[in-house]
Amino acid sequence: MPTYITTMPVPHTPAERVIQKFGNARDVARALSLAADKGLIDRAHVRTPATIYKWTWPTERGGTGGRIPASAVPALRIAGRLVGVLIRTEDLVSP
């Protein structure tokens, strides 16, 4: 019987890379919420999964074209550390 190997698609944008590191947009939102609950970030930095997913959309559709808003980066790094996700500078730079 043949063995099939499935892999995740290679993320091309910073938003796709960071979301994939957490698992999915809902996991990013949960990590941000957890960080806010612990007082590590301001509650204003918590985002919904829909908002996080929109970072992957093209700008013509109301997204950010794959870029993560600069205002979200510090909170993402803190939330990532809290749940064991390392977000490197390379993850945040467009190819």
Side-chain angles (χ1 to χ4, degrees):
M1 191 186 285
T3 302
Y4 296 99
I5 299 173
T6 59
T7 59
M8 298 284 294
V10 176
H12 298 288
T13 66
E16 290 171 342
R17 281 193 293 273
V18 169
I19 291 169
Q20 189 177 70
K21 280 188 162 212
F22 278 89
N24 56 49
R26 181 174 289 163
D27 293 334
V28 177
R30 281 190 192 125
L32 289 168
S33 183
L34 180 62
D37 290 346
K38 292 187 175 282
L40 300 174
I41 64 171
D42 190 272
R43 176 91 20 215
H45 294 292
V46 175
R47 303 286 187 263
T48 65
T51 299
I52 293 163
Y53 187 66
K54 284 181 185 178
W55 295 345
T56 66
W57 292 4
T59 53
E60 304 83 46
R61 286 186 53 206
T64 63
R67 291 182 304 277
I68 297 172
S71 61
V73 171
L76 281 172
R77 286 184 177 222
I78 291 168
R81 261 183 269 145
L82 182 63
V83 298
V85 174
L86 176 64
I87 300 173
R88 302 167 308 162
T89 303
E90 302 85 55
D91 298 325
L92 303 170
V93 179
S94 294

